[in-house]
Structures are given as C-alpha cells and as structure tokens.
C-alpha cells in the first residue's frame, strides 16, 4: 500500500478539498498547525497525559470467551473503546483537536453530531480546556438521542437543532460548515470523523490510530501473533480507520468494515454507502456517496444515528477500491440481535453502531478455526441507545 | 468572443454596472423560470445566473436552500436546468447565461458530456462554489477549450490567494462580499473596500460583488467600485413571496409583474 494521503490530501483519486473559497485559507492554516503540533513534544505529552489520566487509556483488549464459545469458532477480542471517558472512541479525537484549537489561539469550537457521541466528546473537551462550544445536531437526532442533548447542555455547550434537509447527521454537517464559513476567523471546527476536506480525514485518522496501535501491541503481547481479522463499524469511518490503520501493512490481517444496511440494501432505507453508492463529491471530499443518477445525495437510514450518513471517509473508499479492506452491510434487525447477544453472553451493552460490528463477527466467527482470532472495535457503549432499543424491542 | 465578455465590454463603453440576478431554476417549475427570466431581462438585468438546485447546498443560506428544496420536489435535473437556458433563448431572451452549480451533479454527468451539452445550450459561464482553484485543473482546461468561462470566487479570507485565482480567471471575478453563506445582510464589514481594491489591482477582468446584496442602496454603493453586482437571495425570496400568485392562472401575470418591479427597483 502506498503512503496516503499525498500533499493534496488525495488517497488515490479520493479526498481533496471541495469547499467554498472562504474556507481554503482556514484549511491550510489548520494543516500547518496540525503538522507543527503533531511533532511538538510538549503537545504530544499533554495529549498523552489527558488520554491516560483523563480518558483512561489504554483501553483493554478483552477476550470475549463466552461469546467466542457461543459462536463456536474464532477467538474474539473486543477493543474496549466503550470504556473511554464519555463512552466512545470519539473522545480520542475531540481531546486532540480541542487541544490543537487552543494552541492555535481559538476560543470557540463547533462540532456536528449524529448519535451525540462526538457532540458529547467535544463538549467535554471544550469544558476541560475552557473553550466555548456549539454543537449542531439534526432535529430528528435530538429526538432520538435526548439524553446526549442534555449531557451536552450539562457540559456547558449550546446545542443547535438543525431544521434543514433530512434533519439528521448529513444536514448537521452542512450547517456546521455553513456556520464555520461565517465565523472562520475566530472559530475552530472539531470535525468528528475521517470525512470532510483535507486535512480532516488525515488528522482524525492520526488522532484515532491509537486504537489500532494499542490493539496491535496488546494482541502481540497476549497472543504473540497478529489477529486474522479486524472488524469495525463504518459510518464516516473514524473508529474503523483508527483500528485498521496500524494493521494496513500487515498483509495477513484481513480488514472488514461494517456499514449499516438499515432495512436492507435493496430497500430504499439504508446507509450502505460502499455497497450501493458511487464515487462523488460530498461535504468536502471525493468518496463513495449514496446518490441518485443526477448527483443529488440521497437520505440515509439506520437504526443507529451514528451510521445514518450517506457518505464515508475517502481513505475507506481507497481501501475498498484497492481491495485492502472489504465492506459488508448489516441490517437494523441483525444489529439488534447482536446487541442482545453481547449483552447476555458478556454483560456488555454495546452502542448500536458497535452492534453492527458484532453482528458481522457473528457471521464470520463460526466459519473460522479455534486458533484464529478476530479483533472487534467496540467503539461505544449502549447507554445512549437504551431508550431507543426499548422502543424497538418493546420490552423483552 | 464569449457573450459575457461582449456584455461587459458594451457596459463599459456606456459607463454602466452590470446587474446580475440569480434565480433557482425550477422554483416553482421550469416553465415559470423561463417567464421570470424574461421579466428579469425586461427589468434591466445584464447577465443571469441560473442556479441548479442541489440537495446539499453548503454555500447557501436558508432562502436558496428552500428554493432548491421546492425545485427538487419535482425531481428537476441538471440536464433540465441547462435546457432552460436554450428554451429561454428561443423565447427571445438575449442575455448571457451563467450556470451556477455544485460540483457533484456535473461530475455525475461526466465532464465531457457536460461541456458537450452546455456548449450547445447557450451557457457562457460557470460558477462552481465548491470547486476551489486547487481542484479545478481538469474542468478549467475543458471550459477553456469550449470557450465557456469558469468564473472564480474570491473571498475576504483569500488574501494572498487572490492573485493566483484571478491570474487564471476568465469572464469576471466574483467577489464574495463577506464571510458566510448566501443571504440578505443588513451591512458589510469595514474591510470590504480594501478587499475590492486588492481584487481590482490583481486583474484586468471585470469584478462583480455578490452575497448579501439586496437593495437599491447596496447596488448603488457597490456600483462605484465594481463592474457588476449579483443579487441572489433577495430575488429568490421575492419569487418565494410571489409563489401564490405565480401558481394561480388568474394572478400569474400579477406575480411576474411584481418580480419585474422589484428588480427594476434595484437598478434605480
């Protein structure tokens, strides 16, 4: 695999900077600051301190013995990102970007959020570092994720419900970009996924790769060998890139991204961008996009607000087209079943996003030998989803 | 000679500033758009921006977002938007047309097919708000080959980028009045005059200002410094207010007349 992205933010043909001219200087300024601080020993030490003492890293790599035995195949290891402060991997990136914002002299930060996890993580990092924080969230999602809305408010952030378009993550991203265009001089945009214009996909990857760096080291320490598979859910794709990236050069390790098939990839209600999308420009980069024949972006659907997105990060498109990673769809129903299985066998209630990765693991593990291993990114905990799940399952 | 260049050259001789209205094609339908274009010409417009509706218009404020939403409800496509230019020309409209579109609809049609189509359909210029100069090499080369002007945007944040952008430009330079998306503004920032003078010094091409220009006072204020003034959201909002009239057979003429008067009022 080549070293990506290049200096123009290209992952093969994907990526780039497709944004209004007003933002271009801000993107170059951000790229310069990121390149500088990524090498700055003081910045790195402060970030490392916060990740360890504040967020609780490293997160464990847990051997899910009962789940493995139940499925009767490979040994399954869960990378417990759900045990991070605020309950998901999102804090890795939010802490890092908020710290970067502060070093750049910005006093205000903005963020978009779908499930609310990135919003909560950004509100948390802003509170910790004394920054003013606004979070844009689709009105539909504010209803699905009321607890996270309240959490953000408790943390001192302002939550701005987005009423345009589909009123979900896609339009929250549009609105955050629009707000940034208007306030670019004093506001830092903490983008939550490996999407958007360069340098965001690279920067967020570099801030999330700690997931894979730790998992790789933990696997080698515990098993003395690399895993056979790494499985992670993909909405925009930040936890997946985070765990995949350190394994990309390890050719024996198969990488599987799991996207949301909603009510089925042949229905009109899904978020299976890789399976059903085409190359296109959306929200700042060239990547796979769910769209109609005329280039209008289609609304996505998933039971999981965090996967309910018609785009995907450009590096995932690159990994797909180069064949280095494969992407599989999982339906709402399969994710719900996986969520219940993990809860009952391991006492871990996963986020609906992560439940998609578990569901793919349920399909994969039984076909493998007992000496083979799967590492699954358990990207978040399910507390935020409990009320919605109760609605779907109607009691147990 | 490109139609846009002819128009600006003619206006320069007369010492006039171009009035460049924008409208969202297909709001409320393609037939009405053509009739509105005729009114804009009658009201004294000099060039017209035809906005292609897009699902995710991230450079646009609420007024144009709503107009795009209304147009897309009828499933209008970029091909149909381009056809509007030809149909308007056939109905007697003489003004040059500039197609304003986000990049993805162009990309999905395919650049070759796109340029083949617009060269045949009376389009003289292109504005693509999410295609900055770093990403436009292929499209710019094809536009030049087709003698269609790719009109760049420069913003108050462009600074040292201004010269690089205007150096490659064709047609005119579209100066974004202030930070932010399209939409009506009550006032403009204090640095606007020095920004416009920086752009002026960087190019021989005409310069036009847009984003937030909504009244006769604005048009007059900028007529002294600019060769063209773009009025977008204010006209789209006027169309929105007039929709009940436009959609009634009985009052349609009255609605069109109100739009004409509004645009005429901008010009003074």
């Amino acid at each position: 695999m080549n070293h990506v992205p290049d200096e123009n933010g290209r992952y093969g043909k994907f990526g780039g900077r497709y944004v209004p001219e007003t933002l271009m200087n801000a993107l170059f300024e951000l790229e310069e600051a990121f390149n500088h601080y990524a090498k700055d020993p003081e910045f790195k030490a402060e970030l490392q301190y916060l990740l360890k003492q504040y967020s609780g890293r490293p997160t464990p790599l847990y051997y899910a013995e009962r789940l493995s035995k139940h499925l009767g195949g490979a040994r399954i290891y869960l990378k417990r990102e759900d045990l991070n402060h605020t309950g998901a991997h999102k804090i890795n990136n939010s802490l890092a970007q908020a710290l970067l914002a502060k070093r750049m002299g910005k006093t205000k930060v903005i963020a978009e959020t779908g499930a609310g996890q990135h919003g909560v993580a950004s509100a948390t990092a802003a509170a910790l570092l004394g920054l003013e924080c606004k979070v844009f969230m689709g009105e539909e999602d504010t209803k699905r994720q009321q607890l996270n809305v309240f959490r953000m408010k408790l943390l001192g952030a302002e939550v701005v419900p987005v009423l345009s378009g589909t009123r979900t993550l896609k339009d929250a991203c549009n609105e955050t970009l629009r707000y940034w265009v208007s306030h670019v001089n004093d506001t830092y945009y903490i983008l939550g996924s490996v999407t958007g214009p360069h340098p965001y996909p690279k920067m967020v990857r570099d801030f999330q790769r700690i997931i894979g760096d730790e998992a790789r080291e933990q696997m080698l320490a515990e098993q003395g060998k690399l895993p056979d598979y790494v499985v992670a859910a993909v909405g925009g794709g930040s936890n997946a890139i985070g765990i995949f990236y350190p394994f990309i050069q390890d050719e024996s390790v198969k990488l599987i991204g799991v996207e949301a098939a909603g009510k089925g990839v042949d229905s009109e209600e899904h978020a299976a961008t890789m399976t059903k999308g085409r190359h296109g420009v959306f929200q700042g980069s060239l990547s796979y996009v769910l769209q109609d024949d005329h280039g209008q972006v289609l609304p996505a659907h998933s039971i999981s607000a965090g996967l309910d997105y018609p785009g995907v990060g450009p590096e995932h498109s690159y990994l797909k087209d180069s064949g280095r990673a494969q992407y599989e769809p999982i339906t709402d129903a399969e994710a719900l079943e996986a969520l219940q299985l993990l809860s009952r066998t391991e006492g871990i209630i996963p986020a609906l996003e992560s439940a998609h990765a578990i569901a793919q693991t349920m399909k994969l593990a039984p076909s493998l030998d007992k000496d083979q291993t799967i590492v699954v990114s358990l990207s978040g905990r399910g507390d935020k989803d409990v009320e919605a799940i109760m609605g779907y399952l109607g009691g147990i | 000679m490109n139609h846009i260049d002819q128009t600006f050259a003619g206006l320069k001789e007369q010492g006039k500033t171009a009035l460049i209205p924008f409208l969202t094609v297909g709001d409320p339908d393609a037939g009405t758009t053509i009739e509105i274009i005729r009114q804009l010409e009658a009201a004294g417009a000099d060039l017209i921006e035809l906005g292609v509706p897009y699902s995710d218009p991230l450079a646009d404020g609420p007024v144009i977002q709503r107009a795009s939403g209304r147009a897309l409800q009828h499933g209008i496509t970029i091909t149909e938007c381009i056809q509007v230019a030809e149909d308007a020309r056939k109905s007697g409209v003489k003004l040059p047309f500039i197609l304003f579109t986000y990049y993805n609809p162009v990309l999905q049609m395919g650049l070759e097919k796109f340029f083949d189509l617009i060269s045949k359909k009376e389009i003289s210029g292109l504005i693509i708000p999410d295609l900055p100069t770093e990403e436009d090499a292929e499209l710019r080369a094809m536009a030049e080959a087709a003698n269609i002007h790719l009109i760049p945007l420069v913003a108050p944040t462009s600074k040292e980028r201004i010269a690089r952008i205007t150096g490659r430009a064709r047609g005119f330079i579209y100066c974004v009045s202030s930070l932010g998306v399209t939409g009506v503004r009550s006032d403009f920032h204090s640095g606007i005059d020095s920004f416009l003078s920086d752009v002026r010094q960087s190019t021989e091409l005409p310069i036009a200002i847009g984003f937030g220009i909504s009244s006769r006072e604005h048009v007059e204020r900028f007529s002294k410094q600019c060769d063209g003034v773009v009025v977008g959201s204010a006209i789209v909002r006027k169309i929105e207010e007039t929709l009940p009239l436009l959609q009634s057979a009985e009052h349609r003429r009255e609605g069109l007349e109100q739009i004409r008067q509004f645009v005429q009022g901008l010009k003074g």
Side-chain angles (χ1 to χ4, degrees):
Chain A
M1 294 295 289
N2 298 324
H3 186 72
V4 288
D6 67 13
E7 70 279 8
N8 298 313
R10 290 282 172 178
Y11 304 79
K13 69 176 284 193
F14 302 106
R17 304 178 188 89
Y18 296 89
V19 293
E21 169 60 24
T22 306
L23 293 180
M24 289 301 284
N25 257 330
L27 291 176
F28 284 110
E29 182 191 46
L30 174 60
E31 187 177 352
E32 198 180 312
F34 169 65
N35 288 339
H36 173 76
Y37 286 112
K39 292 187 209 110
D40 177 44
E42 223 174 279
F43 178 86
K44 280 161 59 176
E46 188 172 358
L47 178 57
Q48 214 163 13
Y49 171 81
L50 288 177
L51 289 172
K52 184 175 175 202
Q53 303 296 346
Y54 183 71
S55 186
R57 299 205 75 91
T59 58
L61 183 73
Y62 164 73
Y63 170 44
E65 189 174 0
R66 286 201 3 109
L67 178 69
S68 303
K69 292 204 165 130
H70 175 85
L71 295 174
R75 292 165 67 88
I76 298 164
Y77 289 81
L78 305 177
K79 180 58 177 163
R80 297 290 308 274
E81 291 301 300
D82 59 320
L83 294 178
N84 271 304
H85 179 46
T86 73
H89 72 289
K90 292 290 187 188
I91 192 78
N92 303 331
N93 170 51
S94 293
L95 276 176
Q97 285 201 52
L99 209 53
L100 182 60
K102 202 162 178 182
R103 293 292 168 106
M104 289 172 74
K106 309 277 180 179
T107 54
K108 296 173 182 171
V109 297
I110 51 171
E112 84 296 338
T113 198
Q117 292 305 91
H118 174 58
V120 168
S122 297
T124 299
L128 176 69
L129 298 173
L131 301 164
E132 205 177 294
C133 179
K134 251 191 223 315
V135 179
F136 294 82
M137 187 170 187
E139 194 201 26
E140 193 63 32
D141 291 335
T142 63
K143 289 181 196 153
R144 286 198 275 190
Q145 306 285 348
Q146 288 177 20
L147 269 180
N148 271 345
V149 173
F150 188 66
R151 266 187 200 112
M152 288 184 265
K153 289 181 180 167
L154 271 180
L155 292 161
E158 183 190 343
V159 179
V160 183
V162 173
L163 305 176
S164 59
T166 58
R167 304 185 179 196
T168 60
L169 178 57
K170 158 177 110 81
D171 293 281
C173 294
N174 286 338
E175 215 49 49
T176 318
L177 278 166
R178 289 183 186 119
Y179 183 90
W180 197 35
V181 171
S182 310
H183 300 83
V184 64
N185 285 337
D186 66 351
T187 300
Y188 181 100
Y189 179 11
I190 304 183
L191 206 156
S193 195
V194 287
T195 54
H198 182 63
Y200 281 107
K202 175 184 195 296
M203 186 168 72
V204 178
R205 175 193 77 193
D206 289 359
F207 289 146
Q208 290 292 3
R209 65 170 291 173
I210 192 165
I211 307 171
D213 283 332
E214 285 177 7
R216 193 173 183 283
E217 202 174 295
Q218 288 163 325
M219 210 48 206
L220 287 172
E222 183 164 329
Q223 288 283 306
K225 62 171 188 174
L226 293 170
D228 296 287
Y229 288 86
V230 176
V231 179
V234 178
S238 69
N239 91 86
I241 282 289
I243 199 163
F244 287 175
Y245 188 66
F247 291 101
I248 284 177
Q249 304 299 337
D250 302 318
E251 283 173 20
S252 67
V253 180
K254 296 183 186 68
L255 308 175
I256 303 182
V258 185
E259 54 180 11
K263 297 182 178 168
V265 293
D266 295 321
S267 75
E268 285 188 352
E269 294 179 60
H270 62 76
T273 308
M274 294 291 204
T275 310
K276 302 294 275 191
R278 297 195 316 276
H279 299 174
V281 165
F282 176 55
Q283 291 178 343
S285 59
L286 177 65
S287 197
Y288 276 86
V289 184
L290 285 179
Q291 54 184 317
D292 70 12
D293 293 343
H294 308 287
Q296 305 290 347
V297 179
L298 294 170
H301 164 84
S302 169
I303 191 174
S304 139
L307 303 183
D308 193 350
Y309 184 64
V312 66
E315 190 160 7
H316 283 294
S317 295
Y318 176 68
L319 292 175
K320 173 184 160 73
D321 281 14
S322 65
R324 179 62 190 93
Q326 69 185 83
Y327 294 83
E328 300 293 342
I330 285 290
T331 63
D332 289 349
E334 289 169 326
L336 275 174
E337 199 188 319
L339 182 141
Q340 294 173 80
L341 180 69
L342 189 68
S343 302
R344 288 177 186 187
T345 55
E346 296 289 350
I348 298 171
I349 303 175
L352 279 169
E353 291 76 18
S354 320
H356 285 71
I358 300 293
Q360 182 61 32
T361 305
M362 285 164 65
K363 292 184 179 179
L364 176 66
S367 69
L368 303 178
D369 296 334
K370 289 196 167 27
D371 61 345
Q372 289 185 291
T373 54
I374 305 173
V375 170
V376 186
S377 176
L378 198 73
S379 54
R381 66 177 181 225
D383 305 39
K384 70 180 173 64
D385 295 318
V386 167
E387 203 182 334
I389 297 161
M390 198 162 73
Y392 286 112
L393 299 179
I396 296 178
Chain B
M1 198 180 186
N2 183 295
H3 197 167
I4 295 170
D5 302 334
Q6 288 170 11
T7 299
F8 273 108
L11 288 166
K12 193 175 181 184
E13 269 177 28
Q14 302 168 48
K16 287 183 178 166
T17 305
L19 177 65
I20 313 174
F22 166 99
L23 82 178
T24 301
V25 178
D27 174 31
D29 58 72
T32 307
T33 296
I34 293 168
E35 287 190 60
I36 296 172
I37 292 170
R38 289 161 57 97
Q39 299 303 321
L40 296 176
E41 181 168 52
D46 298 293
L47 302 94
I48 290 186
E49 273 185 43
L50 300 174
V52 177
Y54 183 53
S55 54
D56 295 81
L58 56 83
D60 286 303
V63 172
I64 295 176
Q65 288 175 40
R66 286 199 301 271
S68 292
R70 285 193 295 270
L72 287 173
Q73 270 177 6
H74 309 295
I76 192 159
T77 66
I78 185 170
T79 309
E80 288 160 357
C81 292
I82 294 165
Q83 184 59 39
V84 161
E86 188 183 61
D87 292 347
R89 182 73 76 234
K90 279 184 186 154
S91 79
V93 176
K94 304 244 174 339
L95 306 180
F97 294 121
I98 299 161
L99 196 72
F100 178 107
T101 177
Y102 287 86
Y103 189 41
N104 199 46
V106 175
L107 197 61
Q108 296 312 312
M109 183 182 282
L111 297 190
E112 217 157 289
K113 192 174 162 199
F114 174 73
F115 278 103
D116 194 42
L117 183 67
I118 62 173
S119 336
K120 290 179 191 147
K121 302 281 181 186
E122 303 286 344
I123 303 289
S124 307
L126 271 179
I127 298 174
I128 307 182
D130 57 349
L131 193 71
T133 185
E134 280 78 0
E135 308 290 353
D136 74 1
E138 188 185 4
L139 187 135
R140 182 155 35 87
M142 294 177 80
E144 287 187 12
N147 191 29
I148 286 167
H149 290 336
L150 178 61
I151 294 148
L153 282 86
V154 292
T157 50
S158 297
K159 298 184 178 136
E160 70 281 3
R161 297 169 54 79
I162 292 175
R164 184 145 47 94
I165 295 168
T166 60
R168 297 165 174 174
R170 297 287 183 273
F172 63 93
I173 312 296
Y174 190 134
C175 304
V176 175
S177 70
S178 39
L179 303 186
V181 293
T182 59
V184 173
R185 290 159 173 68
S186 54
D187 56 3
F188 297 91
H189 67 106
S190 53
I192 181 83
D193 296 317
S194 71
F195 164 59
L196 291 173
S197 117
D198 287 348
V199 180
R200 174 68 84 193
Q201 278 165 27
S202 75
T203 181
E204 298 288 310
L205 289 176
I207 68 172
I209 188 165
F211 283 43
I213 313 292
S214 58
S215 66
R216 184 167 172 171
E217 290 69 38
H218 293 159
V219 172
E220 277 173 7
R221 183 202 188 289
F222 290 111
S223 286
K224 298 181 192 87
Q225 294 154 290
C226 300
D227 308 295
V229 177
V230 179
V231 183
S233 295
I235 290 173
V236 174
R237 193 170 63 185
K238 185 72 200 170
I239 294 170
E240 183 175 58
E241 285 166 10
T242 320
L243 284 176
L245 299 176
L246 292 173
Q247 287 168 325
S248 126
E250 197 184 335
H251 299 289
R252 189 176 176 83
R253 194 152 297 278
E254 192 186 330
L256 291 167
E257 176 60 20
Q258 283 185 16
I259 294 167
R260 189 187 64 77
Q261 281 175 7
F262 177 75
V263 176
Q264 206 160 29
L266 291 171
K267 198 146 184 175

